[in-house]
């Protein structure tokens, strides 16, 4: 039986800019006073959960239910509890003996989005919403389709036509979402679905929804539990900038609870053709300048106007983190290296985090003793086309032993 955390509706929504607060059950996606982003705030001084209580529960999103907003039995498919792998070979090559990858491709739908959706779709039910929607570069739509199916409610997903990897579209379709391809990019799709949700009452489950990010912060909690200490650096691929913001928020909560005494340096990696956050950090801009035509092979992070940029810039700056770009070639090289040297199969966007670490190490920007956790965000099979294009085709032979021996040069 699920029993809710002790935070039953003790939390509220707060604006990250002006601090205005709103009731937890008000369905809003931006501050009603100034229009900036919202975050969920718990009365952390009244939360008395012990670390040992968490350790006794299975490693999963719901291990940390005292720091989650859901008070009903959640819509869950056992998300989280993903492996943290020590990248021994790649770490050695880079001179980084403490390099790790948290393989979020091992979630039910094959990406970290499931952490957000188990919480987000549970909140949709808790808030008595009848349908859900999102815009997506692919993974969010796959995950929403899966969790809406589990919840038994309809889902609408908007995708940029021709720019979504085939595995992700297959999932959204098979799990029964209404899939709409728009002749435009992700940023336009997000604007459209936001308006649709405001005008027609669907529940918006993009990362502008502060409840969804609550689920995603558990990536950091799990990595802390698996390592037994706070990593020095947490490295994430950045698209809409929700995940890096979520992990940072989670670590701040652990600090406030007294479980940790320092925060990891939050480090964001973007594809060179789609890098407004990196630019804002480099040029010390107060906010990101949107890119009209973002382009990269890593379609998951092909985003020019990241909605969570405000939170992400704070996360990187406040923790002394870094932001760096990687080229498509560097991304694909790392996708192959992870696959062939570590046995870890990830999609291109996910390889960006580790590719970014390799670049930063070469630039001399990292201390060799750092404990570094890279989030690899989605599974290899999400984007089989990009995999096949990089590999030699299978060798086809006649069905006899001499042909086999000859093909193997034996
Ligand atoms: N990696 C993968 C595999 C993703 O699918 C995404 C985002 C990111 C990284 C970036 O995370 O947006 O929180 O900075 N995918 C979204 C989607 C945009 O629609 O599936 P972020």
């Amino acid at each position: 039986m699920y029993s809710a955390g002790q935070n039953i509706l003790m939390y509220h929504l707060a604006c990250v800019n002006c601090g205005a607060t709103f009731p937890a059950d008000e369905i809003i996606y931006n501050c009603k006073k100034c229009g900036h982003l919202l975050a969920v705030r718990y009365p952390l001084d009244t939360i008395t959960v012990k670390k040992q209580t968490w350790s006794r529960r299975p490693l999963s999103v719901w291990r940390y239910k005292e720091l989650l907003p859901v008070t009903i039995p959640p819509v869950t498919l056992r998300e989280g509890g993903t492996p943290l792998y020590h990248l021994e070979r790649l770490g050695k090559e880079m001179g980084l003996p403490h390099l790790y990858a948290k393989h979020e491709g091992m979630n039910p739908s094959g990406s970290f989005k499931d952490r957000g959706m188990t919480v987000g779709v549970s909140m949709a039910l808790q808030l008595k919403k009848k349908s859900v929607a999102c815009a997506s570069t692919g993974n969010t739509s796959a995950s929403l389709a899966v969790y809406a199916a589990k919840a038994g409610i309809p889902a609408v997903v908007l995708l940029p036509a021709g720019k979504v990897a085939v595995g992700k579209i297959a999932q959204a379709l098979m799990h029964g979402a209404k899939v709409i391809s728009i002749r435009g990019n992700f940023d336009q799709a997000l604007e459209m679905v936001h308006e649709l949700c405001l005008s027609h009452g669907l529940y918006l489950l993009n990362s502008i929804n502060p409840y969804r990010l609550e689920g995603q912060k558990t990536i950091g909690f799990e990595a802390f539990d698996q390592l037994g200490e706070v990593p020095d650096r947490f490295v994430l691929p950045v698209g809409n900038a929700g995940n890096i913001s979520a992990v940072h928020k989670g670590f701040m909560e652990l600090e406030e609870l007294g479980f940790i005494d320092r925060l990891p340096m939050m480090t964001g990696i973007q594809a060179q053709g789609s890098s407004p956050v990196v630019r804002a950090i480099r040029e010390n801009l107060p906010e990101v300048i949107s890119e009209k035509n973002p382009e990269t092979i890593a379609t998951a992070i092909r985003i020019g106007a990241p909605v969570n940029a405000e939170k992400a810039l704070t996360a990187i700056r406040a923790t002394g983190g870094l932001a760096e770009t990687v080229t498509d070639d560097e991304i694909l090289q790392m996708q192959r290296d992870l696959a062939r040297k570590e046995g870890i199969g990830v999609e291109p966007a996910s390889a960006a985090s580790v590719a970014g670490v390799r670049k930063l190490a070469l630039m001399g920007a990292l201390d060799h003793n750092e404990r570094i956790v890279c989030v690899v965000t989605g599974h290899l099979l999400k984007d089989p086309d990009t995999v096949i294009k990089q590999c030699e085709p299978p060798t086809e032979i006649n069905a006899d032993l001499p042909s086999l021996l000859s093909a193997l040069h034996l």
Side-chain angles (χ1 to χ4, degrees):
M1 248 292 281
Y2 179 81
S3 66
Q6 63 208 109
N7 55 331
I8 297 182
L9 293 188
M10 296 270 290
Y11 56 89
H12 60 263
L13 298 172
C15 173
V16 300
N17 176 53
C18 75
T21 60
F22 305 94
D25 56 359
E26 189 159 349
I27 293 163
I28 46 173
Y29 308 106
N30 293 100
C31 175
K32 288 201 291 186
K33 295 216 166 104
C34 72
H36 283 249
L37 298 170
L38 298 169
V40 184
R41 298 274 177 244
Y42 305 91
L44 291 173
D45 50 343
T46 68
I47 290 181
T48 54
V49 67
K50 299 235 168 4
K51 253 167 57 181
Q52 298 89 295
T53 312
W54 282 352
S55 319
R56 282 197 293 271
R57 299 177 188 156
L59 189 72
S60 82
V61 168
W62 297 100
R63 171 184 275 201
Y64 311 98
K65 63 184 179 182
E66 286 80 2
L67 293 183
L68 295 174
V70 178
T71 57
I72 60 168
V75 181
T76 176
L77 291 157
R78 306 214 186 120
E79 41 296 308
T82 55
L84 181 72
Y85 295 125
H86 187 193
L87 301 183
E88 285 181 83
R89 268 202 201 102
L90 286 178
K92 197 162 178 199
E93 282 178 18
M94 296 180 210
L96 299 170
H98 310 293
L99 181 64
Y100 297 84
K102 181 109 173 105
H103 193 353
E104 288 296 297
M106 304 299 270
N107 275 296
S109 83
S111 85
F112 70 95
K113 306 287 180 179
D114 296 341
R115 294 179 186 270
M117 288 307 176
T118 182
V119 171
V121 172
S122 298
M123 286 306 291
L125 298 189
Q126 188 168 313
L127 295 167
K128 311 244 177 310
K129 302 299 283 186
K130 302 267 182 285
S131 55
V132 287
C134 72
S136 181
T137 56
N139 282 319
T140 301
S141 68
S143 185
L144 184 63
V146 164
Y147 283 84
K150 178 75 180 165
I153 56 173
V156 175
V157 305
L158 269 66
L159 308 177
K163 292 292 182 179
V164 177
V166 67
K168 306 173 189 182
I169 299 188
Q171 289 177 295
L173 291 170
M174 182 53 116
H175 289 286
K178 176 76 187 164
V179 180
I180 312 269
S181 266
I182 68 147
R183 294 184 202 102
N185 63 24
F186 167 83
D187 303 303
Q188 294 165 303
L190 182 55
E191 261 185 60
M192 284 170 66
V193 78
H194 195 163
E195 279 175 35
L196 173 78
C197 288
L198 291 178
S199 61
H200 285 76
L202 292 85
Y203 193 52
L204 180 62
L205 275 169
N206 280 99
S207 54
I208 195 170
N209 182 320
Y211 289 125
R212 205 192 97 188
L213 292 184
E214 290 302 289
Q216 291 175 207
K217 74 187 178 186
T218 61
I219 298 176
F221 296 171
E222 285 188 11
F224 167 57
D225 277 350
Q226 287 167 307
L227 269 186
E229 59 187 313
V230 190
D232 299 303
R233 189 180 297 280
F234 225 93
V235 187
L236 298 100
V238 172
N240 223 8
N243 214 23
I244 192 169
S245 313
V247 171
H248 176 239
K249 176 178 190 280
F251 277 112
M252 286 199 298
E253 288 172 352
L254 292 188
E255 189 182 42
E256 217 176 314
L257 285 173
F259 289 4
I260 61 174
D261 54 14
R262 64 196 169 87
L263 301 184
M265 293 176 275
M266 299 304 300
T267 297
I269 309 297
Q270 295 197 292
Q272 201 170 62
S274 178
S275 53
V277 172
V278 177
R279 179 176 175 200
I281 293 287
R282 266 191 201 144
E283 298 177 15
N284 205 16
L285 307 175
E287 56 191 54
V288 297
I289 300 170
S290 301
E291 292 177 9
K292 281 263 169 314
N293 297 305
E295 209 45 83
T296 166
I297 187 92
T299 51
I301 51 172
R302 182 177 170 273
I303 294 176
V307 287
N308 286 294
E310 181 180 20
K311 290 180 177 176
L313 292 179
T314 305
I316 295 167
R317 287 178 175 144
T319 60
L322 296 167
E324 192 49 73
T325 58
V326 282
T327 63
D328 283 359
D329 283 347
E330 287 166 332
I331 289 173
L332 294 179
Q333 180 64 52
M334 184 52 77
Q335 186 188 26
R336 294 193 297 272
D337 284 349
L338 281 165
R340 292 175 183 186
K341 297 181 180 173
E342 299 287 352
I344 300 176
V346 301
E347 65 168 292
S350 313
S353 56
V354 193
V357 166
R358 173 143 68 194
K359 182 166 174 192
L360 290 167
L362 282 171
M363 289 161 58
L366 306 178
D367 183 315
H368 289 287
N369 285 319
E370 285 181 13
R371 263 170 220 286
I372 304 176
V373 172
C374 297
V375 183
V376 294
T377 41
H379 199 278
L380 177 96
L381 293 173
K382 290 282 191 171
D383 187 357
D385 293 337
T386 307
V387 173
I388 298 278
K389 274 188 210 137
Q390 293 179 69
C391 301
E392 288 291 317
T395 312
E396 191 173 319
I397 59 166
N398 290 332
D400 57 64
L401 190 60
S403 305
L404 176 59
L405 294 177
S406 139
L408 297 174
H409 307 296
L410 293 173

